[in-house]
Amino acid sequence: MITVRKRRTGLVTAAGVLGGVLAVTALGGTSNAATGPDDAGNPPQPQAQAGRTVAQDASDARIRITPGHGAHKVGIDDPVQVTVGDGKLTKVTMTAVATGAEIPGTLSPDGTSWKPDGRLERATKYQIAAEAVDTEGRPATENATITTVSPANNFIGHVSPLNGSTVGVGMPVSVNFDTAISDKAAVESEIQVSSSSGQRVVGHWLNDGRLDFRPEHYWKPGSTVTVKLSLDGVRKTVTFKIGRSQISTVDAATKKMTVVRNGKTIKTIPISSGSSEHPTYNGQMVVSEKFRHIRMNGASVGLTEKDGKPSYNIEAVPHAMRLTDSGTFIHGNYWGADSVFGNANTSHGCVGLQDVRGGTDGKQPAAWFFDNSMIGDVVIVKNSEDKATPAPDNGLSDWNMPWSEWVAGSTTR
């Protein structure tokens, strides 16, 4: 994949004022995290040859989810549907992220479209996952996350992580608002975040619509974090637990990743990171989403051939975990020769681990790392040719900001 060199938060930035009722929706991961396509990296053979190989394996089925990924303020009566060209849908699921509840829907008799059976709920984030096959049985997948409109004159604070969830030590508390907040001090003063570990927790406004909280250092393993929000008499409490500590360090120079759990090295994995043309970010990143399979398409990040076709289009990249909103993943790579891993950096910015097509071999390094990772785990990249680190609002990259600067971004400290 390629990492887009820009900050992207997906937040609404229209002018807004504080008022009305505070409606709070607890979300899994981050409300910024995307499920859209990105590139998975290049195999060791010449890039032109690699592109042809991937193109030959790609499904002809083309799935479209309406409205598109990342859509905000979707009307509860607006048309939401999944369609496919040159194929048939085999499975579509739509779930409310906060509760995990599946939304009933109907697949058309010819298998080319799907839509929910009833109206959606206000101020709710939904995730849609679609699968299809073309006439030769080759699979295609597509994902999208949408958020419905909030009640009039209200602003919505979407809180992650989920109430009752267990996350890794790098998971910040992130509150995302549907409208820009003008009186930040008033809003921040109504949100308290504390940890059973006794760590000092401070908020920082990453932009006009996103307020994150974290301690100076990673959360203490086994601790419980409590988030209390209150406004105009409406109160909401979210609690989540911090699991074991797992910090994985990718060394782009040695092309190895060291996985440390609770202070002890449990595995060293050969990797292939970004090439000299597309080096991987250095710095601290946090797993925000996990996908057993995800489509990655070069056109989504501007990588196309002279004829306008995407430079790559990989329908089912296995064991993919998002590290930034701009497109950095750590994922399985089945198209690269075994000799690449640990020896050559060949990707467009992602970190690739050895895998097999379909991700069906649980003994592969990518499968092991996926199964042994959780949302909120830390992945640190060092010795990459890219001297930049991801901006704090690029995914859950809060830890790249020095503590003194973090504290300075609070309006109540």
Side-chain angles (χ1 to χ4, degrees):
M1 54 72 61
I2 186 169
T3 300
V4 182
R5 292 295 187 259
K6 66 177 182 179
R7 296 188 179 188
R8 187 184 72 185
T9 64
L11 293 173
V12 175
T13 57
V17 296
L18 177 63
V21 177
L22 172 64
V24 181
T25 305
L27 302 179
T30 172
S31 62
N32 294 335
T35 57
D38 285 282
D39 174 33
N42 296 324
Q45 66 262 41
Q47 291 187 7
Q49 179 182 347
R52 288 194 296 270
T53 301
V54 171
Q56 290 170 358
D57 293 336
S59 175
D60 290 331
R62 293 293 177 264
I63 301 171
R64 180 176 181 180
I65 300 176
T66 305
H69 171 73
H72 285 258
K73 295 187 176 181
V74 177
I76 60 175
D77 292 315
D78 287 355
V80 174
Q81 64 177 345
V82 180
T83 58
V84 64
D86 299 322
K88 289 188 176 182
L89 294 167
T90 56
K91 183 180 180 181
V92 178
T93 57
M94 182 175 184
T95 55
V97 175
T99 64
E102 187 169 334
I103 309 306
T106 299
L107 184 66
S108 65
D110 61 3
T112 60
S113 65
W114 177 97
K115 62 181 180 180
D117 291 340
R119 298 175 67 182
L120 304 180
E121 296 292 331
R122 290 184 180 273
T124 301
K125 184 177 183 181
Y126 294 97
Q127 189 172 70
I128 304 169
E131 301 175 13
V133 294
D134 64 10
T135 56
E136 296 185 16
R138 293 175 297 190
T141 61
E142 188 61 89
N143 303 273
T145 302
I146 65 173
T147 304
T148 53
V149 67
S150 63
N153 301 320
N154 289 359
F155 72 92
I156 305 300
H158 302 281
V159 182
S160 67
L162 271 173
N163 184 46
S165 62
T166 299
V167 297
V169 297
M171 186 72 185
V173 173
S174 189
V175 186
N176 289 270
F177 300 95
D178 280 356
T179 58
I181 302 302
S182 56
D183 193 345
K184 295 182 177 63
V187 172
E188 187 176 346
S189 66
E190 298 294 345
I191 305 174
Q192 289 80 44
V193 182
S194 61
S195 173
S196 63
S197 66
Q199 291 173 278
R200 180 191 178 197
V201 184
V202 176
H204 182 99
W205 289 89
L206 296 177
N207 52 52
D208 288 343
R210 178 176 170 184
L211 172 62
D212 281 14
F213 294 82
R214 69 168 177 89
E216 181 176 3
H217 304 292
Y218 302 138
W219 302 103
K220 298 293 185 183
S223 59
T224 298
V225 179
T226 301
V227 185
K228 293 183 178 180
L229 306 98
S230 176
L231 186 70
D232 292 343
V234 178
R235 292 177 174 81
K236 179 76 176 183
T237 299
V238 174
T239 62
F240 61 93
K241 293 186 179 298
I242 305 300
R244 79 290 179 274
S245 169
Q246 182 164 299
I247 300 171
S248 303
T249 301
V250 173
D251 190 328
T254 64
K255 304 167 187 66
K256 289 180 173 59
M257 177 172 67
T258 303
V259 183
V260 176
R261 181 176 295 173
N262 295 329
K264 180 180 179 181
T265 299
I266 60 171
K267 203 169 187 69
T268 300
I269 302 175
I271 61 93
S272 180
S273 66
S275 66
S276 296
E277 185 179 2
H278 302 292
T280 307
Y281 274 128
N282 277 295
Q284 303 172 76
M285 290 165 273
V286 174
V287 175
S288 62
E289 290 183 299
K290 295 178 67 179
F291 303 94
R292 292 219 169 257
H293 298 93
I294 190 170
R295 180 176 68 88
M296 296 185 175
N297 187 312
S300 68
V301 289
L303 288 180
T304 59
E305 303 298 328
K306 292 182 179 179
D307 59 4
K309 293 182 179 180
S311 299
Y312 48 83
N313 184 15
I314 308 175
E315 293 288 353
V317 177
H319 299 121
M321 293 183 284
R322 181 178 288 279
L323 299 180
T324 71
D325 285 351
S326 61
T328 310
F329 279 76
I330 184 166
H331 62 76
N333 180 329
Y334 61 82
W335 53 92
D338 293 351
S339 59
V340 165
F341 305 99
N343 293 295
N345 290 325
T346 59
S347 85
H348 283 81
C350 283
V351 178
L353 310 179
Q354 188 174 351
D355 210 336
V356 297
R357 183 186 296 272
T360 55
D361 184 356
K363 295 181 180 179
Q364 292 293 317
W368 180 92
F369 188 64
F370 185 91
D371 291 340
N372 285 274
S373 297
M374 65 170 61
I375 300 298
D377 279 350
V378 179
V379 176
I380 301 172
V381 177
K382 66 179 185 179
N383 296 326
S384 172
E385 293 185 35
D386 189 344
K387 303 307 179 184
T389 59
D393 63 349
N394 189 354
L396 303 176
S397 303
D398 306 52
W399 306 98
N400 292 304
M401 181 179 289
W403 181 243
S404 58
E405 186 177 345
W406 183 271
V407 173
S410 170
T411 58
T412 62
R413 298 300 192 278

